[in-house]
Amino acid sequence: MKIKAGFIFLLMFCLQACTMSKMAVKPSVEHTKQTTSSKKPRNIIFLIGDGMGLTQITAGMYMNHNRLELERMPVIGIHKSYSIDDLITDSAAGATAFSIGRKTKNGYIGVDSFGKRYTTILEDCAKNNMATGMVVTSTIVHATPAAFLAHQSGREDYEAIAMDFYNGNCDLLIGGGKKYFDRRVKDSINLVEKLIEKGFTVSDYFQEDFENIQIPNVNKYLFFTADGDPLPASQGRNYLAKASKDAIQFLNSKNKGFFLMIEGSQIDWGGHANESDYIISEVLDFNKAIKEALDFAEKDQNTLVVITADHETGGYVINPGSKFGALTTTFSTKKHSAAMIPVFAYGPGAENFSGIYENTEIYNRIKKLLLD
Ligand code: MG
Ligand code: ZN
């Protein structure tokens, strides 16, 4: 009897071990059933809170009278953020999963793990005669926006990424990083002048404050909010919400459908700095951009809004003793963590974003809705 029970236990253990090893080699994306919707959006606003895990969202909410615009989003899913060779992704591989639908190596931008370039969702939209744009609070050549318009295996090769931006096709760009365009170390090419020749209207923080301007009714528009990285929100940077609203208006006025990527870039930097206040002020700044996107989508009724993060940063935790408006927090790392990441969706096709799926599915589902 005892031997029999032991045998059954062993058999069950083997069976379980087999199933587990199967799970490990078989990508779970094959098991995900995709619900399809007949209603397709005309526009998409894709918002990425870099490093915005569930705790970052929670902290922003509890420090904001228990309220965030994200609560207006009816559909919620979860994505698995890992990159092809690391359970902990970086922003390059994370954004590339969204932009080309392929897991790649950390540090890679718009290319797969062999360095092969793939057309990004933004480039696909441009090819399909949609208007395209990006608004960020980092430099516009930083990993997240770069993954949508550049193809490089070195995320820090900012001048090469800027050249890809010049050669690419995007109607509107707002973010920092002017120096990678007009004071290039390697080739001394003035890409600002060349972009103007190409039909861009270019302005920057040095000529005018973005807060005081109206985007002119032009063909293509680029505004540099800083020479390098823009300031943190806590030090006075406050263009994200206005830039998001103006970008939506600018792209929508083209009247051909649009793809807009908006990034709250510095939530991640607060995580790396292990500074809770930095994270919270950046989440609340991003929250205002989300409001602009949702206010437009509600009125428009033809716009899909998808909001997610590439990964969590800091292993951020809200500790016992915390209260609304007074959080005690700790961090487990200065780097990113491997936690799965929430996805929020609103608008036509939003129901496609429920469930648990690979980060690459966000590309697949957006592409299916917009371009199939
Ligand atoms: Mg980023
Ligand atoms: Zn990071």
Side-chain angles (χ1 to χ4, degrees), residues 50 91 268-269 272 311 313 336:
D50 198 315
S91 296
D268 175 64
W269 303 357
H272 284 295
H311 53 72
T313 306
H336 303 164

